[in-house]
Amino acid sequence: MQKYLGNNSNVMKQKNRALILNIIKDEGGISRAELSKRTGLSRGGITPIVNELLSMELIVETGVSVTDSGRRPIILELNADGCHAIAVDWTRKKYTAALVDFTGRIITREQYWFTDNDTLDHILKRLKESINNILCQSKAKRIAGIGVVAPGPLDIYKGVILSPPNFWGWLNIPIKQILENEFKLPVFVDNNANAYALAEKNYGKGRQYHNFIYVVVDEGIGAGIIIEDDLYRGKGGFGSEIGHISINMDGPKCECGNNGCIEIYATIPQIMRHVNNYTELGVLSSYLNIIRSRRLLRWDDILNGLKIEDPVCMNIIRKIAVYLGNVFVSLINVLEPEAIFIGSDIASAGKHLLEPIKEYLHDRTVTKDIHKTDLLLSDLEHGSLIGGAMLVLQSFIDSGNYGIFE
């Protein structure tokens, strides 16, 4: 993301275009006069750049705002149809491909659920077909690229899906090269936690925070970390693997080599494995025992149990809250974020998860008597897909070189 410092030099034309377009995106709407104040560029410097962006149909004039002086300046906003991205969310169960517009709205999407007989070659063939279908049906005049979101670990620079756990044995998939060769579009690759964080920062409650952590709990546990409005990735792109923070030094050995990682205890599959084992032995829950007598329990069963306040379901979520709270204490003490967002499947537990974590954090952080870190459930739908598109759209905006997409 561009920093808000402008320059009137012709040499800086592309940077100034990117600067102005970033501010318009971040503000959701802004006047020319306010752009001049924010960038330090003169009104004479702002006008030709804004006119260029209007002629490229990247922005639109949408109305007026009332100022203290009574003036009614025209507001500039992103043109939803000005640029699009293809987003691919590849999970352990399925992939979803979508066309996303310049304002983060999903226009169309296709899903494919994996079967036991699927091979990697077949999945890649189906994925190419899905993307091609979307491109053929699209009326978009400018598609800036493809953003692929997948479980880590990933090589985000080479665009390779390395060796995600429980990923059907598929390793070292050069997805960037495969899709670039097929579609002749730039391809960007990142993990799902980073994608969720980008979506939250640009289109959700995260817009009001400069520093926050987005925690994902589903088949794995990860985090997207926003520091001073930018995504933190670390030296090689592996800088937010919170699933491998140990909560039990004497616990079972994790695939990563550490002992007692939270991923061993608190992913959705691990939760359900333990619940099914416990109910097989018999627990004090007629609700769960009835279901377990017919089939294995599923995550939805736990969520439905929370609605009727089944005591065993409530205790399961409280235990998960303690596991997560243990990690959150470390994150807060090390990074001092303004907020932590909880997203993906675990967020469906709602207040039953949120309140016990808040209670756990209350007296356990260094800053407890100074300020509190906000703890929030993300309510942004399809965050991983939207974040995948944002990988493309942000790169497009930051380039300042919009003519190549004409």
Side-chain angles (χ1 to χ4, degrees):
M1 191 177 295
Q2 300 291 318
K3 300 301 181 184
Y4 299 158
L5 296 171
N7 189 304
N8 281 311
S9 167
N10 288 332
V11 179
M12 300 295 290
K13 183 177 180 180
Q14 286 187 355
K15 288 188 176 181
N16 287 340
R17 285 202 301 196
L19 171 64
I20 288 171
L21 198 54
N22 262 309
I23 295 175
I24 293 171
K25 170 182 72 71
D26 292 343
E27 294 300 319
I30 193 170
S31 69
R32 289 169 173 83
E34 188 61 29
L35 274 174
S36 180
K37 290 179 185 176
R38 293 285 299 276
T39 62
L41 294 168
S42 67
R43 291 293 295 272
I46 289 284
T47 298
I49 298 174
V50 167
N51 288 343
E52 249 187 339
L53 297 175
L54 285 167
S55 69
M56 292 176 177
E57 300 183 356
L58 291 170
I59 62 172
V60 290
E61 296 176 327
T62 60
V64 295
S65 64
V66 179
T67 65
D68 293 338
S69 65
R71 290 184 173 182
R72 298 171 67 82
I74 295 173
I75 298 301
L76 302 168
E77 294 182 4
L78 290 184
N79 177 11
D81 294 326
C83 186
H84 291 77
I86 301 290
V88 175
D89 184 15
W90 190 343
T91 73
R92 292 170 173 87
K93 297 177 181 178
K94 62 181 171 62
Y95 73 69
T96 307
L99 180 70
V100 182
D101 74 16
F102 212 15
T103 60
R105 185 169 63 98
I106 295 173
I107 306 302
T108 185
R109 61 191 172 107
E110 284 194 14
Q111 279 187 345
Y112 177 73
W113 290 84
F114 306 150
T115 68
D116 291 340
N117 296 324
D118 274 326
T119 64
L120 178 58
D121 286 343
H122 180 249
I123 297 297
L124 291 170
K125 181 182 177 183
R126 289 293 300 257
L127 177 58
K128 291 175 187 177
E129 290 173 356
S130 293
I131 294 173
N132 191 58
N133 289 340
I134 291 171
L135 289 171
C136 289
Q137 295 168 14
S138 168
K139 297 179 181 178
K141 59 179 284 188
R142 184 188 280 117
I143 295 180
I146 302 171
V148 178
V149 177
L154 310 168
D155 184 329
I156 63 172
Y157 302 108
K158 293 181 180 178
V160 178
I161 302 172
L162 296 173
S163 54
N166 307 312
F167 202 57
W168 302 77
W170 302 331
L171 306 172
N172 301 315
I173 307 167
I175 192 66
K176 174 181 171 70
Q177 179 184 352
I178 290 168
L179 296 182
E180 284 184 343
N181 289 344
E182 182 75 15
F183 297 105
K184 312 306 178 190
L185 288 169
V187 175
F188 303 83
V189 180
D190 214 327
N191 67 58
N192 62 342
N194 284 343
Y196 275 114
L198 284 173
E200 194 68 48
K201 176 59 186 170
N202 285 279
Y203 304 110
K205 299 173 188 172
R207 295 181 73 146
Q208 64 184 296
Y209 298 104
H210 299 292
N211 301 275
F212 69 82
I213 301 169
Y214 191 109
V215 175
V216 173
V217 181
D218 40 44
E219 287 92 353
I221 297 177
I225 300 174
I226 300 291
I227 297 178
E228 294 301 320
D229 297 317
D230 283 330
L231 188 64
Y232 174 78
R233 290 189 172 91
K235 178 182 177 181
F238 304 100
S240 55
E241 293 287 346
I242 69 162
H244 298 285
I245 293 177
S246 176
I247 59 172
N248 181 4
M249 291 175 63
D250 298 318
K253 192 157 189 173
C254 178
E255 290 183 5
C256 73
N258 198 8
N259 289 86
C261 294
I262 189 172
E263 273 204 359
I264 296 173
Y265 300 94
T267 64
I268 301 298
Q270 290 286 12
I271 295 168
M272 297 317 303
R273 184 173 66 82
H274 290 305
V275 171
N276 278 296
N277 287 342
Y278 294 155
T279 51
E280 192 169 306
L281 297 173
V283 294
L284 298 176
S285 168
S286 57
Y287 162 72
L288 291 179
N289 286 334
I290 290 170
I291 299 172
R292 184 66 178 88
S293 68
R294 300 194 304 265
R295 59 167 172 80
L296 291 175
L297 293 162
R298 299 189 291 259
W299 177 238
D300 284 348
D301 298 322
I302 303 300
L303 297 179
N304 290 330
L306 295 177
K307 292 175 184 176
I308 63 173
E309 297 189 348
D310 175 80
V312 174
C313 293
M314 301 279 282
N315 283 334
I316 290 165
I317 296 304
R318 277 195 286 266
K319 191 170 185 179
I320 299 306
V322 171
Y323 291 151
L324 291 174
N326 191 293
V327 170
F328 288 4
V329 168
S330 296
L331 294 175
I332 291 169
N333 286 341
V334 173
L335 295 173
E336 196 186 2
E338 298 167 78
I340 294 177
F341 287 89
I342 302 171
S344 195
D345 294 349
I346 200 72
S348 302
K351 66 179 182 180
H352 301 287
L353 177 72
L354 198 65
E355 295 308 317
I357 295 178
K358 286 182 178 179
E359 184 180 331
Y360 185 89
L361 295 179
H362 182 71
D363 292 321
R364 287 181 166 87
T365 60
V366 172
T367 56
K368 60 182 180 293
D369 297 324
I370 303 169
H371 56 76
K372 300 291 185 183
T373 295
D374 293 338
L375 190 63
L376 303 149
L377 295 171
S378 176
D379 56 7
L380 192 63
E381 289 190 84
H382 309 300
S384 192
L385 264 183
I386 295 170
M390 199 63 219
L391 295 170
V392 177
L393 297 175
Q394 190 63 60
S395 177
F396 169 75
I397 292 172
D398 288 345
S399 74
N401 188 17
Y402 312 136
I404 63 173
F405 292 91
E406 289 294 309

